[in-house]
Amino acid sequence: MAKKIRYLDRNKEPMIEASERVKSFREYALGFSPNLALDEAKRCLFCKDAEQRCIKGCPIHVDIPGFIKKITEGDLLGAYKKIIETDVFPSICGRVCPQERQCEGSCILYYDTVRDRKAKGLPVSIGALEKFVGDFVRISGIKLTEEKALPTGMRVAVVGAGPSGLACAYDLAKRGHEVHVYEALPKAGGVMRYGIPPARLDREIIDYEVQRLESLGVKFFYGHVVGRTVSLSQLKEDYDAVYLSVGAGRGKLGLKGDHLKGVFSAIEVLTRVNLMEAYRFPEAPTPVDLGRKVAIIGGGFTAVDCAITSLRLGLETHVVYRRTRETSSARQEEWDHLLEEGAKIHWLTQPVEVLGNEKGEVIGLKCIKMELGEPDESGRPRPVPVPDSEHVIECDSVIFAIGQQANPLAYEGILETTRWGTVKVNEMYQTSVEGIFAGGDVINGGDTVVRSLAHGREAAKFIDEYLRTKNWTFTGG
Amino acid sequence: MFKVLHKESLTPKAFVMEVQAPHLASAQPGQYAVVQRTLESERVPLSILETTSEGARFLVEVRGRSTLELDVRLNEEPEIAYIEGPAGVPFEIRNYGRVLLISKNWGLASLFAIGKALNACGNSVSALHVGDTLENVYMIDELQSFCESVRVLTEDGSLEEGNVEIALRDYLDSAGKPDLVVCAGSNLDSSLVVDLCKREGIEVMAMVNTYMLDTIGLCLVCRVMVKGEQKLACVDGPWFRGDEIEWDYLLARENIYEDEEKQALEKFLKQLERERLRSRR
Ligand code: FES
């Protein structure tokens, strides 16, 4: 009997109620139970040409049907091993990837990427399954002994303990190299630690992954600012190779009135709350003061993270974005969650000025309405101002979540850069200085966690090759 | 964990400590470190007084919750969970000629290493130190060891009464114009010094005093305007040419978290009080 295709009965992860989840920073998506996971796994059609579909849609090319098959076979450890062949951190990616634009967006139940047409169903919940597998192994207490090649005697320095650096360190350690990770902040994880709120990514998960690396022999040096404590050039002398993965995390402002008291970069607010736990102030000594109403400018992941944060601080939360929801790079379901939690989201709204009082404090955000006009170069309809649509959103603070810029501290004057200030590399992640590789946001200026992981792993392969051959091909340009 | 090898009270409000932190060994004059007593503690930037064979020495003035926490807790357990550094751009050490250091309160900590190094490379160095009270006067002997002249005033009159402006004017009257003035410790006082120097045509370098968070150039909380451009105190500073700093901008942002700081201090004092009661029982 032909297997019945289950187009529509996609399982949902249990969630904490909106009214309840805004009261704390604990994770609100509670994940599949084994039974739910098994049932969801059975929806997968195990496409023969998955390479052309979900696997292609995944930036790190996880063997998706492969791991889902293992779930259906009752082999969760096998499923985990399958995932970490390509994606070292299943629990993290399962939580923070925008799957709808990646694997799930190319699931045959939802979209036939081979024939390029819409299918009639909902995709397999690949993200939730990946998260389930990662969580299962972590929570079960099973200690996986990860295989490791014999020591090569080679030493590699990784600069920056964000997703890219951690992924690279993992692979290099597995290949038998001695890996030292240099991190300025007191904890590893980069943006996963100081940026993404614990409501989306529980800190225990990052701790667990860092411990996995430590048990592979990776050593971490916190409080080391490369560019100050030690220079990149010095590291290159001290090690056989260097992987630079410092991200591009410098905040950005840029609007009339952004000097006012109450104007913040997203990074500042997120760091205060998520790294320094300002939501526990004054028990935790680091404060945050956003007043009672906050306007967040931006429509990407960072804006979502700021909104999650400010709602949980109990504030009236406005999100202001000049484009539409469809063009947002955040997960669509996150917007739904925010709406449920009471955020006011102003699509097609362009902020033009932060307004202040005579004391220099923020009192509002002046905006104009936009409408969709002719498509621009990228083919997206360009938002154009609606005449006479000026209005003011009252607020005590304004958070700029409009993207980040390069932070050149580690490589200024040493590596060739692009005109955006990011580091120039060739397709093997080699920079202009032999022995120094770079990957993650420091080369692409701001992308997803999973893309950074992919860079880290690919770079590890090329670093390994370089250590054996000492071949350097960067030619500049 | 970093060991505190030595800690000594100078006044009820100030102490010096020496920490074992080899990664600070490369510190140059003008740089600072960031200290968190525990991983939950606030990130406190501290000027590096001098490097030692094992790490560095710091002069800490107790001004709020986090410095008080350091003082109290280090007496109980001489360990620090996290030290980042050296951070900031080193001060340019060269022969300027005659250099005058002007410090307000803890600003002395920031000038110490600079003055020493300037003296060592042939400058003639003098110092004016102004404390709010006698409790903000310390390390004067050490200061004298590399200065031609040192003058110490307090604003409350517990020592010779005066402020930085008076001190600088007196100096100019008696000794003439120095080739460089270096000031630190208070934005308001530094801005007054800079004003006077500008009028007199004296080159002046000042340390800006801002909130800091990540201290690696990400969050922008430490932004200052220098010559019309946004600069970050944590990575581009903390030293800038005094005449190029937009002091109004700096002064407007320097007390953003004043209320919270009070609240945090009160909370901590209460906690200490409770601990005291408990230990008496
Ligand atoms: S302290 Fe965050 S940018 Fe300077």
Side-chain angles (χ1 to χ4, degrees), chain B residues 163-183:
Chain B
N163 59 31
V164 290
E165 244 185 328
I166 296 172
L168 175 55
R169 260 184 235 281
D170 287 355
Y171 179 90
L172 295 179
D173 288 346
S174 61
K177 288 186 198 175
D179 299 295
L180 176 72
V181 167
V182 189
C183 56

Side-chain angles (χ1 to χ4, degrees), chain A residues 46-63:
Chain A
F46 306 107
C47 303
K48 290 265 156 8
D49 56 354
E51 294 283 351
Q52 297 306 309
R53 303 178 184 278
C54 53
I55 298 179
K56 194 173 173 196
C58 169
I60 205 164
H61 309 306
V62 170
D63 177 357

Side-chain angles (χ1 to χ4, degrees), chain B residues 211-222 232 234:
Chain B
Y211 286 99
M212 286 193 190
L213 185 60
D214 58 279
T215 63
I216 46 171
L218 303 180
C219 76
L220 312 185
V221 71
C222 67
L232 300 176
C234 68

Side-chain angles (χ1 to χ4, degrees), chain A residues 183-187 194 222-225 228-230 246 248-253 258-265 267-269 271-272 275-277 280-289 405 407 409, chain B residues 2 23 26 31 36 39-43 65-66 69 82-89 211-221 223 230 232 234-236 249 252-253 255-257 260-261 263-264 267:
Chain A
E183 169 59 47
L185 292 173
K187 289 174 184 167
Y194 66 75
Y222 299 105
H224 283 63
V225 189
R228 293 278 188 261
T229 311
V230 56
V246 292
R250 180 169 295 179
K252 221 176 12 196
L253 307 173
D258 66 11
H259 63 282
L260 292 164
K261 270 188 264 181
V263 172
F264 300 88
S265 76
I267 309 288
E268 179 183 348
V269 174
T271 304
R272 283 183 184 279
L275 179 70
M276 305 310 295
E277 302 186 4
R280 295 197 294 115
F281 182 84
E283 277 77 29
T286 306
V288 66
D289 181 8
Q405 38 185 339
N407 181 8
L409 187 59
Chain B
F2 300 95
H23 65 296
S26 64
Q31 291 193 297
Q36 285 179 255
L39 293 184
E40 284 72 47
S41 305
E42 214 176 355
R43 296 168 61 76
R65 185 213 192 270
S66 295
E69 178 190 334
Y82 163 92
I83 303 179
E84 176 211 302
V89 179
Y211 286 99
M212 286 193 190
L213 185 60
D214 58 279
T215 63
I216 46 171
L218 303 180
C219 76
L220 312 185
V221 71
R223 60 191 184 268
Q230 179 185 289
L232 300 176
C234 68
V235 290
D236 302 322
Y249 188 93
R253 287 182 55 79
N255 53 7
I256 298 179
Y257 285 108
E260 284 81 1
E261 279 166 350
Q263 207 184 327
K267 175 101 193 168

Side-chain angles (χ1 to χ4, degrees), chain A residues 252 254-255 296-300 303 318-329 335 344-352 365-378 380-386 389 391 393 399-403:
Chain A
K252 221 176 12 196
L255 198 63
I296 298 158
I297 304 178
H318 297 262
V319 180
V320 183
Y321 185 43
R322 60 193 290 264
R323 292 179 176 271
T324 58
R325 175 171 168 149
E326 291 65 45
T327 53
S328 157
S329 58
W335 294 117
K344 303 199 170 52
I345 304 175
H346 308 256
W347 303 111
L348 285 170
T349 304
Q350 167 97 58
V352 289
L365 183 65
K366 193 201 276 181
C367 302
I368 48 176
K369 286 303 270 176
M370 308 295 278
E371 61 192 2
L372 291 180
E374 296 296 304
D376 59 15
E377 315 83 59
S378 67
R380 299 197 292 186
R382 189 200 305 270
V384 292
V386 176
S389 64
H391 59 288
I393 298 173
I399 303 175
F400 282 79
I402 50 173

Side-chain angles (χ1 to χ4, degrees), chain B residues 30-221:
Chain B
Q31 291 193 297
Y32 65 97
V34 182
V35 170
Q36 285 179 255
R37 224 255 337 151
T38 70
L39 293 184
E40 284 72 47
S41 305
E42 214 176 355
R43 296 168 61 76
V44 186
L46 295 174
S47 290
I48 296 171
L49 201 55
E50 62 183 352
T51 53
T52 63
S53 55
E54 299 197 67
R57 279 175 84 214
F58 297 92
L59 165 62
V60 186
E61 194 177 278
V62 176
R63 301 191 65 80
R65 185 213 192 270
S66 295
T67 39
L68 179 62
E69 178 190 334
L70 271 177
D71 193 12
V72 175
R73 298 299 185 219
L74 291 182
N75 290 340
E76 297 165 5
E77 194 183 9
E79 272 182 354
I80 294 177
Y82 163 92
I83 303 179
E84 176 211 302
V89 179
F91 193 94
E92 192 188 336
I93 302 296
R94 62 177 164 89
N95 199 325
Y96 296 86
R98 216 147 56 80
V99 179
L100 176 65
L101 312 176
I102 306 180
S103 50
K104 178 72 182 291
N105 298 337
W106 57 265
L108 184 59
S110 312
L111 293 177
F112 212 85
I114 293 172
K116 238 184 188 169
L118 286 175
N119 174 59
C121 86
N123 293 277
S124 149
V125 181
S126 297
L128 303 174
H129 178 67
V130 180
D132 284 335
T133 72
L134 212 48
E135 294 189 341
N136 311 100
V137 175
Y138 24 67
M139 298 197 77
I140 302 303
D141 288 352
E142 281 104 297
L143 192 57
Q144 264 153 352
S145 73
F146 59 85
C147 287
E148 311 262 298
S149 75
V150 173
R151 186 172 181 213
V152 183
L153 304 170
T154 59
E155 293 203 338
D156 71 345
S158 49
L159 229 58
E160 188 187 349
E161 189 174 336
N163 59 31
V164 290
E165 244 185 328
I166 296 172
L168 175 55
R169 260 184 235 281
D170 287 355
Y171 179 90
L172 295 179
D173 288 346
S174 61
K177 288 186 198 175
D179 299 295
L180 176 72
V181 167
V182 189
C183 56
S186 143
N187 289 332
L188 185 62
D189 289 282
S190 291
S191 72
L192 298 174
V193 168
V194 168
D195 269 350
L196 195 56
C197 287
K198 259 200 212 159
R199 260 177 277 146
E200 298 286 336
I202 304 166
E203 199 178 315
V204 53
M205 291 294 292
M207 189 177 102
V208 294
N209 185 15
T210 66
Y211 286 99
M212 286 193 190
L213 185 60
D214 58 279
T215 63
I216 46 171
L218 303 180
C219 76
L220 312 185
V221 71

